């Protein structure tokens, strides 16, 4: 599953159109859009808003190892090294107010330029830098990345969290042109789409140790033998080790577990027998 | 770039993170020149990258990055009980590099560090200075390839060479350079030094192929060790970790026979036998995520000192000792 956070609706529009996402009216707190394998939130401007949106997306408990989250939006470029509209994958995020840095793990090939971004609470303008009022040590500035990253890294590993910024200006803009921003992001969508496809594949779960049938078999044993939670964990651990050691499927325990046990002592006895079998090979 | 199912991994060291303080060191300069295409990211402190929460060690092994940093004191650490001291007093180790190019299934580093990225401390001279101060008043036996495989990294940073140069001719000082690499060529140019032991970790091919990913096969390690012996170096053979695998007795006895058919036993400095063992906390941590190997799936016991090892460890050790004594005199075997 890919989660996307954008600050503004016109940053979200190209993503919504590309993936044919549909508005989820059940979400009362944010504009949320969903597709088969994607969920997007429009957070509003600012690092706090972005952090809240990321946490909202990831805290449901469903976002696990096979999830990734990406912040997509425009940024200002401090130098004129790249043309307007260049998509940049951010490898270092500095929070201007706290001075703290955050880093994505960039393990996959990608089509983007790379750079660092500094997240500010206020818009950074060229004249602030020229006058020395603002000091920026990064390549780009924005208003969301640090909050987004900090919140996302409570839930996910750094190879599952990305910030993709599209250069919108060189810090000289007086008024933002919504259509222009939408256009810039729309033009980067082929690259973004290709990259997210790779991310999604890379983050897919490793082969689980147990097949569905084996998982069911273990659940069945736990229930029939009325195992305690601790015993249940022990059973799963022993069974996993058995499979890793022998490379075989789990043995058939049907002659040990006939019916649901009436007293716990019966369960304990059968459990001991299962433990013995699983530890034997 | 490596291609896999539907995605392409970046080459290792595609990114180099450099501590602000490390920028001015010659070692940094050299490494950056060695990898001109890597993306350089300046960081305040190496731990900001290395110690991040929730890092995925396994995924990072797919495309490890370099981190260049300046080590603060202490530079040397007392050797732990779990490691063989080969009868040396004042056994210390130096970690001028953290983490390894290789990817052994049983490696304790994956339980020790939060990250698989490789940290190189660029202020090697500070390590030397500390050693110099100590050996003025006491003996020092120092393992320099600890928490890494230094010789394997020689093409990235020539620290094995630097240590050998530094140790040569010194009083009160001995070093062990342990490796699974076959990279003897990188230090062959030096005159063998009395103070230096070159130690090769050897495993049967059945183990090396299956559990020592990215490390060279047994044959090439043996060839390297043999050349070092012939050149006159003190060569140590480390038979560890002994792993419990199907038919381990037959496999390990055939392996020792193979080793001593190639390497002249009478010219070996010494050898050791070590079972697979690990600190309990690291073992627990690793076995939680290593569901792709059987190394952690065997029945283990925990000693009073908190070390996990095979339940039948003593029997395995005895067996290996009986086999090894056929080739080497007892006083050269440590176990
Ligand atoms: S060679 Fe040593 S340090 Fe490197 S991965 Fe293998 S066990 Fe770990």
């Amino acid at each position: 599953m890919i989660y996307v956070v954008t600050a503004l609706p016109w940053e979200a529009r190209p993503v919504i159109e590309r993936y044919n996402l549909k508005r989820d009216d059940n979400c009362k707190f944010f504009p949320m859009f969903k597709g088969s394998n994607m969920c997007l939130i429009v957070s509003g401007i600012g690092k706090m808003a972005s952090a809240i949106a990321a946490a909202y997306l990831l805290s449901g408990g469903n976002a696990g190892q096979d999830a990734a989250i990406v912040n997509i939006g425009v940024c200002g470029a401090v130098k004129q090294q790249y043309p307007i509209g260049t998509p940049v994958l951010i490898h270092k995020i500095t929070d201007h107010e706290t001075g703290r840095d955050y880093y994505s793990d960039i393990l996959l090939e990608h089509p983007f330029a790379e750079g660092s971004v500094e997240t500010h609470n206020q818009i950074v303008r060229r004249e602030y830098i020229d006058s020395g009022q603002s000091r920026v040590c990064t390549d780009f500035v924005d208003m969301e990345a640090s909050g987004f990253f900090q919140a996302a890294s409570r839930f996910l590993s750094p190879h599952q969290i990305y910030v993709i910024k599209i250069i919108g200006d060189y810090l000289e803009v007086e008024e933002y042109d919504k259509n222009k921003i939408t256009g810039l992001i729309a033009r980067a969508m082929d690259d973004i789409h290709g990259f997210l496809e790779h991310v999604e594949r890379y983050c897919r779960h490793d082969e689980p140790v147990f097949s569905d049938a084996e998982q069911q078999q273990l659940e069945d044993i736990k229930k029939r033998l009325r195992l305690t939670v601790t015993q249940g964990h022990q059973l799963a651990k022993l069974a996993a080790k058995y499979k890793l050691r022998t490379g075989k499927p789990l043995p058939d325990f049907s002659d040990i577990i006939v019916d649901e046990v009436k007293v716990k002592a019966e369960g304990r006895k059968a459990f001991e027998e299962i433990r013995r079998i699983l530890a034997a090979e | 770039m490596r291609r896999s199912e539907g995605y392409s991994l970046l080459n290792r060291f595609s990114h180099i993170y450099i501590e602000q303080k490390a920028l001015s060191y010659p070692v940094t300069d050299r490494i950056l020149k060695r990898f001109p295409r890597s993306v350089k990211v300046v960081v305040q402190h190496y731990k900001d990258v290395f110690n991040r929460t929730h890092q995925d060690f396994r995924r990072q092994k797919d495309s490890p990055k370099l981190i260049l940093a300046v080590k603060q004191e202490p530079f040397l650490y007392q050797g732990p009980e779990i490691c063989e001291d080969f009868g040396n007093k004042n056994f210390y180790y130096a970690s001028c590099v953290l983490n390894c190019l290789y990817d052994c299934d049983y490696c304790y580093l994956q339980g020790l560090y939060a990250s698989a990225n490789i940290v190189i401390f660029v202020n090697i001279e500070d390590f030397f200075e500390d050693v110099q101060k100590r050996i003025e008043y006491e003996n020092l036996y120092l393992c320099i390839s600890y928490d890494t495989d230094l010789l394997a990294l020689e093409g990235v940073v020539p620290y094995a060479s630097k240590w050998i140069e530094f140790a040569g001719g010194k009083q009160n000082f001995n070093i062990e350079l342990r490796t699974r690499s076959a990279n003897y060529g990188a230090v062959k140019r030096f005159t063998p030094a009395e103070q230096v032991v070159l130690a090769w970790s050897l495993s049967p091919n059945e183990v090396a192929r299956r559990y020592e990913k990215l490390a060279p096969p047994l044959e090439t390690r043996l060839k390297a060790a043999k050349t070092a012996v012939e050149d006159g170096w003190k060569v140590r053979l480390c038979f560890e970790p002994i792993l419990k695998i199907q038919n381990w007795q037959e496999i390990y006895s055939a392996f020792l026979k193979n080793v001593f058919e190639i390497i002249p036993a009478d010219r070996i400095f010494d050898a050791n036998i070590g079972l697979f063992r690990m600190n309990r906390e690291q073992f627990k941590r690793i076995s939680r995520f290593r569901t792709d190997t059987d190394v952690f799936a065997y029945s283990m016991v925990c000693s009073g000192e908190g070390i996990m090892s095979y339940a039948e460890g003593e029997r395995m050790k005895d067996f290996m000792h009986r086999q090894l004594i056929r080739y080497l005199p007892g006083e050269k075997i440590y176990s």
Side-chain angles (χ1 to χ4, degrees):
Chain A
M1 180 66 127
I2 300 284
Y3 297 95
V4 182
V5 177
T6 68
L8 300 163
W10 38 97
E11 291 173 326
R13 199 173 303 140
V15 186
I16 293 168
E17 280 169 11
R18 177 70 183 233
Y19 292 96
N20 199 17
L21 306 181
K22 299 280 176 271
R23 174 100 191 208
D24 179 0
D25 291 323
N26 292 325
C27 179
K28 306 266 181 297
F29 311 103
F30 299 94
M32 182 189 263
F33 300 83
K34 282 183 169 168
S36 60
N37 205 22
M38 184 176 278
C39 184
L40 179 147
I41 275 187
V42 180
S43 65
I45 292 174
K47 60 189 177 193
M48 180 65 95
S50 196
I52 294 168
Y56 183 82
L57 281 171
L58 299 176
S59 62
N62 296 328
Q65 267 189 311
D66 48 3
I69 190 163
V70 55
N71 170 223
I72 300 173
V74 287
C75 68
V78 179
K79 289 184 228 131
Q80 300 200 358
Q81 189 187 356
Y82 300 108
I84 300 293
T86 305
V88 183
L89 184 61
I90 300 299
H91 54 226
K92 176 181 176 179
I93 299 156
T94 302
D95 185 284
H96 176 74
E97 279 71 30
T98 65
R100 288 202 59 183
D101 298 323
Y102 305 92
Y103 304 89
S104 281
D105 265 345
I106 300 182
L107 309 179
L108 298 178
E109 182 80 357
H110 60 79
F112 308 113
E114 276 191 37
S116 52
V117 74
E118 189 166 295
T119 303
H120 289 243
N121 275 340
Q122 262 88 39
I123 291 177
V124 178
R125 297 190 192 283
R126 171 70 51 200
E127 61 261 31
Y128 303 164
I129 295 178
D130 292 345
S131 67
Q133 189 185 334
S134 249
R135 198 170 157 263
V136 177
C137 302
T138 53
D139 307 311
F140 309 101
V141 290
D142 87 329
M143 296 178 70
E144 283 81 31
S146 67
F148 163 81
F149 200 97
Q150 200 179 350
S153 49
R154 290 291 293 213
F155 303 95
L156 299 179
S157 297
H159 73 278
Q160 297 171 287
I161 311 169
Y162 299 95
V163 173
I164 300 174
K165 293 285 166 187
I166 290 89
I167 300 175
D169 58 74
Y170 299 122
L171 315 180
E172 280 147 349
V173 175
E174 285 306 319
E175 236 178 87
Y176 287 95
D177 177 344
K178 299 174 190 174
N179 291 332
K180 186 184 159 201
I181 290 173
T182 302
L184 292 176
I185 295 181
R187 277 198 288 285
M189 272 318 294
D190 279 348
D191 282 346
I192 294 174
H193 170 67
F195 178 64
L196 291 184
E197 256 187 356
H198 288 197
V199 168
E200 201 260 325
R201 284 191 207 119
Y202 185 64
C203 291
R204 251 176 231 165
H205 245 309
D206 301 326
E207 275 289 294
V209 179
F210 301 118
S211 66
D212 288 349
E214 286 170 332
Q215 197 62 55
Q216 190 50 51
Q217 186 188 0
L218 293 174
E219 287 308 317
D220 202 42
I221 293 173
K222 281 189 223 170
K223 195 166 150 247
R224 287 190 191 210
L225 299 187
R226 296 171 63 188
L227 300 185
T228 62
V229 175
T230 314
Q231 286 170 328
H233 287 319
Q234 286 171 350
L235 174 70
K237 235 166 125 179
L238 275 168
K241 286 188 171 185
Y242 173 90
K243 284 202 71 179
L244 287 171
R245 253 187 354 258
T246 64
K248 295 186 209 161
L250 289 182
D252 178 11
F253 296 115
S254 52
D255 52 338
I256 303 171
I257 313 146
V258 188
D259 276 319
E260 209 155 314
V261 294
K262 302 278 179 302
V263 282
K264 278 205 165 181
E266 272 181 86
R268 261 203 311 274
K269 206 169 144 216
F271 181 48
E272 279 315 312
E273 181 60 10
I274 292 173
R275 281 173 80 124
R276 199 187 53 75
I277 294 170
L278 289 176
E281 266 186 83
Chain B
M1 185 172 82
R2 283 184 290 144
R3 292 200 171 273
S4 200
E5 294 148 35
Y7 53 81
S8 311
L9 291 163
L10 285 167
N11 285 335
R12 69 177 172 213
F13 311 151
S14 64
H15 291 67
I16 304 181
Y17 298 88
I18 314 147
E19 243 183 26
Q20 189 81 44
K21 286 183 293 217
L23 282 167
S24 58
Y25 283 78
V27 174
T28 302
D29 219 37
R30 188 191 159 118
I31 294 171
L32 296 183
K33 284 203 180 99
R34 165 82 181 74
F35 299 101
R37 286 149 52 106
S38 297
V39 176
K40 288 138 199 101
V41 185
V42 176
V43 306
Q44 292 179 45
H45 195 285
Y46 84 93
K47 288 183 182 172
D48 295 348
V49 185
F50 194 63
N51 285 359
R52 285 169 296 165
T53 52
H54 296 157
Q55 291 178 85
D56 189 322
F57 197 99
R58 293 307 308 148
R59 305 273 174 177
Q60 288 178 339
K61 272 284 183 193
D62 287 340
S63 175
K65 317 300 183 195
L66 277 183
I67 302 172
L68 310 184
V70 176
K71 176 91 171 86
Q72 306 297 330
E73 279 186 291
F75 297 105
L76 310 183
Y77 298 92
Q78 187 121 40
E81 275 292 308
I82 195 170
C83 294
E84 180 59 64
D85 60 11
F86 295 89
N88 290 285
K89 271 199 274 172
N90 292 331
F91 161 33
Y92 279 78
Y93 69 90
S95 295
C96 44
V97 174
L98 313 179
N99 273 330
C100 184
L101 276 185
Y102 301 147
D103 188 16
C104 302
D105 283 9
Y106 51 73
C107 185
Y108 70 97
L109 294 176
Q110 54 194 329
L112 181 64
Y113 297 132
S115 170
N117 293 330
I118 296 178
V119 178
I120 298 177
F121 292 113
V122 295
N123 52 329
I124 187 80
E125 303 297 334
D126 291 338
F127 287 78
F128 294 159
E129 212 173 286
D130 195 18
V131 169
Q132 191 60 52
K133 271 191 235 148
R134 280 171 196 253
I135 61 176
E136 261 148 42
Y137 61 90
E138 63 177 0
N139 259 317
L140 181 63
Y141 167 67
L142 188 69
C143 287
I144 56 161
S145 186
Y146 202 92
D147 293 342
T148 187
D149 190 315
L150 216 52
L151 196 56
L153 275 164
E154 197 68 0
V156 177
V157 64
Y159 277 177
S161 297
K162 280 189 183 286
W163 275 108
I164 291 173
E165 274 179 306
F166 172 74
K170 288 241 171 352
Q171 296 285 315
N172 285 345
F173 188 44
N174 292 289
I175 60 172
E176 184 210 66
L177 171 64
R178 193 177 292 206
T179 189
R180 271 182 183 77
S181 83
N183 200 13
Y184 170 63
V187 292
K188 188 176 162 56
R189 66 183 186 283
F190 295 107
T191 312
E194 183 59 26
Q195 293 80 1
V196 180
V197 175
L198 301 183
W200 265 275
S201 293
L202 301 173
S203 304
N205 257 326
E206 290 82 346
V207 169
R209 270 198 296 263
R210 188 161 164 200
Y211 300 107
E212 296 175 354
K213 295 182 191 93
L214 307 177
L218 174 64
E219 291 72 33
T220 46
R221 282 184 236 176
L222 284 175
K223 226 166 125 186
K226 182 176 184 244
T227 318
V229 168
E230 286 167 354
D231 288 350
W233 290 90
K234 286 182 182 172
V235 170
R236 168 173 293 154
L237 302 181
C238 304
F239 300 109
E240 70 174 331
I242 310 287
L243 289 187
K244 194 171 160 185
I245 47 172
Q246 283 280 320
N247 305 325
W248 66 270
Q249 287 103 325
E250 288 96 278
I251 288 171
Y252 275 96
S253 14
F255 156 64
L256 289 181
K257 184 165 174 282
N258 179 18
V259 167
F260 291 106
E261 272 166 6
I262 293 168
I263 298 188
D266 56 335
R267 293 174 67 185
I268 289 302
F269 181 64
D270 58 15
N272 81 309
I273 300 166
L275 292 181
F276 170 58
R277 62 204 183 283
M278 196 177 281
N279 160 308
R280 181 178 39 202
E281 294 316 311
Q282 286 164 9
F283 186 94
K284 261 169 75 180
R285 207 170 306 143
I286 300 170
S287 49
R288 241 178 268 140
F289 66 85
R290 287 310 300 257
T291 52
D292 57 335
T293 175
D294 62 353
V295 166
F296 300 89
Y298 287 90
S299 147
M300 310 285 277
V301 286
C302 186
S303 73
E305 293 80 44
I307 305 297
M308 302 290 286
S309 191
Y310 296 123
E312 62 277 65
E314 280 311 308
R315 194 168 64 81
M316 292 175 75
K317 222 181 199 176
D318 281 354
F319 176 85
M320 283 302 290
H321 198 274
R322 280 201 309 278
Q323 299 300 311
L324 191 54
I325 212 155
R326 291 159 64 183
Y327 306 99
L328 291 176
E331 65 273 17
K332 285 196 174 187
I333 303 174
Y334 293 85
S335 60

